[in-house]
Amino acid sequence: MSMKSLNYIICGILGIAFSLQAQVAPKNWFNLDPEKDQVNGVSTERSYSELLKGKTPSPVIVAVIDSGVDFMHEDLKDVMWTNTREIPNNGKDDDKNGYVDDVHGWNFIGGKNGENVNEDNLEMARVYKALKEKYEGKVPQDFKTSKEKEECKLFLSAKTDLEQQRTEINQLAERYLPLYDKLSALNDAVKKSSGKSKITFAELQAYTPVNDTEKENKERFSKRLSNSPELSLDDLLGSLQEAVDYINGQLKFNLNPDLNTRSIVGDNYNNSNEKYYGNSDCKGPESFHGTHVAGIIAAKRNNGIGMDGICNSALIMSVRAVPNGDERDKDVANAIRYAVDNGAKIINMSFGKKYPWDKKAVDDAVRYAASKGVLLIHAAGNDHVNIDSVSHFPCKSFLDGKTAENFIDIGALSWKQGDNLVADFSNYGKKTVDVFAPGVDIYSTAPENKYKNASGTSMACPVTAGVAAVLKSYYPFLTPVQLKEILLKSSTAAYKNLILNTEVSEGPSQAIAFGELSQTGGIVNLYKALQLEIGRAHV
């Protein structure tokens, strides 16, 4: 993760409080139509009303490999996959598939005693730790075998990245932690003086500072509130709290090479062939990400509550394998295999990292999915880099040089049409990224019957998975290769030649055509995809 992406994270955390009033995305915009509604949606509503009316879909299982899904959410409980061969909570493996009480999915980052991995380190920290003893102070030329030379290069790269990120996080800590303390002290002082429980711009303006420090802080935070007078100091403090939590989490967990969470899981981590570990808690302790993803795909449509997912016939299987940190290749490989073996036909993978550990295990699982007719849809990542030249795993390129034909990489779009249509965080790549989809300010389900906006290629990925699920449910005979072909060929290219004015590469800003950011130069669109398949069916 580059400094640029860290800044995106901090800006996202502080955006509500520390920026001018932003243009608000239309609710449900990802389901709307580009022509009728003037947003970059995928035409879900138009598709149901014009092309799918009177047609009956078949259920299709979509596996969400993620942080977990709140399967009791009011908008998701009716669309969860249920393993009918398993008797809930009886402590037995009723269906003999090797997983006890896997009613709605499985958790590969949990232990037999019910504990769960929540925070974990990044793969670069694990690589650094594993290779440090042998390669510290060495260069590739010090070794004879090609394997050792490559491992030495890997170690040096991981070490450089780890040190750079720790430096960047410490710089952020120096900036934001004192700011949090200053804001907290000012908030307490004004509340005590005014007797008010909520300090708005008006209350802050009326407060008389007792010393120069308070005077300076009053001026600083008055400027923040003057841009958004409906906000309070508590709102600012809440935003800064997220920044503080993020910084502390990076230093304590993500960038800590000495952290080892596998004692919780209790597996033999060095054995990637080991399949039967984990527990049945497919929600986990922090399931916002996976719950949000699941809602985009399949939140119950037309029930009068919350929001509408894209597919009206998808069943969500929750496979927990992604902690707050980097996912592990062994867990990803087993999550894919579990999903395939239990009937999933589409797998959503809204995760990714710069370093692999056991790429062969993941490659083998992707090939296994292809052999069983399963399409994998993957988020391209949020580092705002060209992943034709910067590694991003998992990926469709195998170690042997071949390419997975059942694997799609997705970039993220804003709702805005014109030269701001690409999300400013989205990775891109003419060879690697296949297509773009809505991924900014997506309103979807959150744990405990809540709803929230979120942005990322993590959101663009399930938009695409939802479109694929609709195609698969109404045309069940479609293979992964055919699904991919339809999604890519039908992608709207209305903006292909649009010259973007925003920065789309490392270094200075440069003008570039939207069509150069992905293979298709297009945007996923359900209506166009259905038209293409209907046309094919009548040939």
Side-chain angles (χ1 to χ4, degrees):
M1 190 183 298
S2 66
M3 184 66 209
K4 184 176 294 182
S5 63
L6 291 173
N7 282 335
Y8 280 131
I9 291 170
I10 293 297
C11 287
I13 290 171
L14 302 179
I16 183 174
F18 285 5
S19 65
L20 295 172
Q21 290 278 20
Q23 184 180 354
V24 178
K27 189 177 177 181
N28 195 43
W29 75 266
F30 66 95
N31 281 322
L32 301 182
D33 185 74
E35 297 175 11
K36 292 185 175 182
D37 304 301
Q38 302 301 302
V39 292
N40 298 312
V42 298
S43 307
T44 310
E45 311 304 342
R46 184 183 178 193
S47 296
Y48 281 114
S49 64
E50 295 183 20
L51 299 180
L52 297 175
K53 193 172 183 179
K55 295 184 179 181
T56 303
S58 301
V60 58
I61 300 171
V62 181
V64 173
I65 301 177
D66 214 292
S67 64
V69 175
D70 180 0
F71 50 85
M72 289 303 294
H73 191 287
E74 62 182 8
D75 233 357
L76 293 174
K77 60 184 180 181
D78 292 339
V79 300
M80 293 301 301
W81 168 76
T82 299
N83 184 357
T84 57
R85 298 170 299 166
E86 196 77 13
I87 300 172
N89 305 316
N90 70 348
K92 297 179 181 180
D93 181 16
D94 300 293
D95 61 358
K96 309 300 180 185
N97 70 348
Y99 302 96
V100 176
D101 289 335
D102 58 325
V103 177
H104 297 300
W106 191 252
N107 174 20
F108 284 101
I109 49 175
K112 291 183 179 179
N113 60 0
E115 285 187 282
N116 278 303
V117 175
N118 187 22
E119 308 279 356
D120 209 341
N121 45 20
L122 302 181
E123 196 68 70
M124 70 174 71
R126 299 172 205 149
V127 169
Y128 171 83
K129 175 75 171 180
L131 301 180
K132 179 181 178 182
E133 183 176 351
K134 182 173 182 178
Y135 296 106
E136 181 71 86
K138 303 292 180 62
V139 294
Q141 291 78 8
D142 294 332
F143 300 93
K144 294 181 179 180
T145 68
S146 58
K147 179 182 177 181
E148 288 176 315
K149 290 179 186 292
E150 290 303 313
E151 282 188 346
C152 187
K153 289 179 183 177
L154 183 66
F155 168 75
L156 294 174
S157 177
K159 179 182 179 181
T160 298
D161 279 349
L162 185 62
E163 290 175 348
Q164 178 183 342
Q165 288 199 30
R166 288 188 70 88
T167 298
E168 292 166 353
I169 287 294
N170 281 319
Q171 289 172 347
L172 292 175
E174 290 174 4
R175 178 181 177 186
Y176 288 106
L177 300 191
L179 193 63
Y180 177 86
D181 291 338
K182 291 175 182 178
L183 177 56
S184 181
L186 179 65
N187 196 30
D188 290 344
V190 182
K191 283 183 176 180
K192 183 177 180 180
S193 174
S194 67
K196 303 281 188 179
S197 61
K198 183 178 180 181
I199 306 305
T200 63
F201 178 69
E203 277 80 39
L204 184 56
Q205 288 300 100
Y207 177 68
T208 302
V210 299
N211 53 44
D212 289 342
T213 299
E214 282 194 355
K215 181 179 179 181
E216 179 184 340
N217 289 333
K218 176 184 174 180
E219 292 176 357
R220 178 200 301 266
F221 295 112
S222 289
K223 291 179 182 178
R224 307 297 189 189
L225 287 183
S226 66
N227 293 326
S228 303
E230 77 282 0
L231 297 178
S232 68
L233 288 184
D234 283 323
D235 293 322
L236 301 187
L237 199 62
S239 294
L240 270 175
Q241 181 65 61
E242 292 186 53
V244 169
D245 292 344
Y246 170 76
I247 290 165
N248 289 336
Q250 286 281 304
L251 294 174
K252 185 177 180 180
F253 302 109
N254 298 160
L255 302 177
N256 178 6
D258 295 320
L259 179 68
N260 180 14
T261 61
R262 295 315 273 200
S263 59
I264 294 175
V265 179
D267 65 324
N268 177 5
Y269 185 57
N270 294 319
N271 178 13
S272 289
N273 293 320
E274 181 184 13
K275 295 172 59 178
Y276 304 111
Y277 60 93
N279 64 43
S280 61
D281 181 8
C282 63
K283 178 183 177 183
E286 193 173 307
S287 62
F288 169 75
H289 195 273
T291 301
H292 199 271
V293 163
I296 295 169
I297 298 168
K300 191 171 181 64
R301 292 183 58 80
N302 304 317
N303 62 351
I305 60 173
M307 46 81 64
D308 289 340
I310 293 174
C311 186
N312 64 353
S313 49
L315 299 174
I316 296 295
M317 176 192 292
S318 175
V319 192
R320 188 168 182 266
V322 184
N324 185 359
D326 277 346
E327 67 282 354
R328 295 172 183 256
D329 290 344
K330 176 181 179 179
D331 300 333
V332 170
N334 280 320
I336 292 172
R337 289 179 179 275
Y338 174 89
V340 172
D341 288 342
N342 287 278
K345 289 303 176 184
I346 296 167
I347 298 178
N348 188 93
M349 303 195 299
S350 290
F351 55 81
K353 57 186 179 180
K354 185 176 179 180
Y355 290 87
W357 181 250
D358 188 354
K359 179 165 168 50
K360 183 180 184 302
V362 179
D363 284 357
D364 289 346
V366 171
R367 282 190 162 108
Y368 180 68
S371 73
K372 300 295 184 178
V374 179
L375 178 67
L376 308 181
I377 302 178
H378 179 241
N382 304 324
D383 295 315
H384 194 60
V385 296
N386 184 343
I387 56 174
D388 289 348
S389 55
V390 176
S391 297
H392 187 67
F393 299 96
C395 60
K396 62 174 72 73
S397 298
F398 294 130
L399 286 172
D400 61 9
K402 296 181 180 179
T403 301
E405 298 299 327
N406 63 323
F407 195 113
I408 306 177
D409 272 301
I410 311 298
L413 290 172
S414 169
W415 72 95
K416 302 172 185 176
Q417 297 184 333
D419 62 3
N420 291 317
L421 80 159
V422 176
D424 58 4
F425 52 77
S426 182
N427 287 350
Y428 54 95
K430 181 66 173 175
K431 296 179 181 178
T432 308
V433 176
D434 293 286
V435 69
F436 278 74
V440 173
D441 290 347
I442 305 296
Y443 185 75
S444 185
T445 45
E448 314 308 326
N449 295 333
K450 295 178 181 178
Y451 302 84
K452 188 176 180 180
N453 276 341
S455 300
T457 56
S458 284
M459 283 67 246
C461 187
V463 168
T464 309
V467 171
V470 174
L471 289 168
K472 183 68 176 177
S473 64
Y474 283 88
Y475 301 94
F477 54 84
L478 290 173
T479 68
V481 172
Q482 290 171 327
L483 276 173
K484 180 176 179 178
E485 179 185 14
I486 293 167
L487 288 169
L488 301 193
K489 280 190 174 182
S490 65
S491 62
T492 59
Y495 303 104
K496 189 169 185 177
N497 297 319
L498 178 67
I499 303 300
L500 303 177
N501 297 322
T502 53
E503 184 181 346
V504 293
S505 62
E506 296 289 342
S509 298
Q510 64 181 52
I512 190 169
F514 174 61
E516 296 302 308
L517 302 184
S518 67
Q519 284 191 31
T520 62
I523 300 171
V524 170
N525 188 272
L526 176 58
Y527 191 86
K528 300 293 185 184
L530 288 167
Q531 281 185 320
L532 180 60
E533 179 52 31
I534 291 169
R536 284 167 25 123
H538 286 85
V539 172

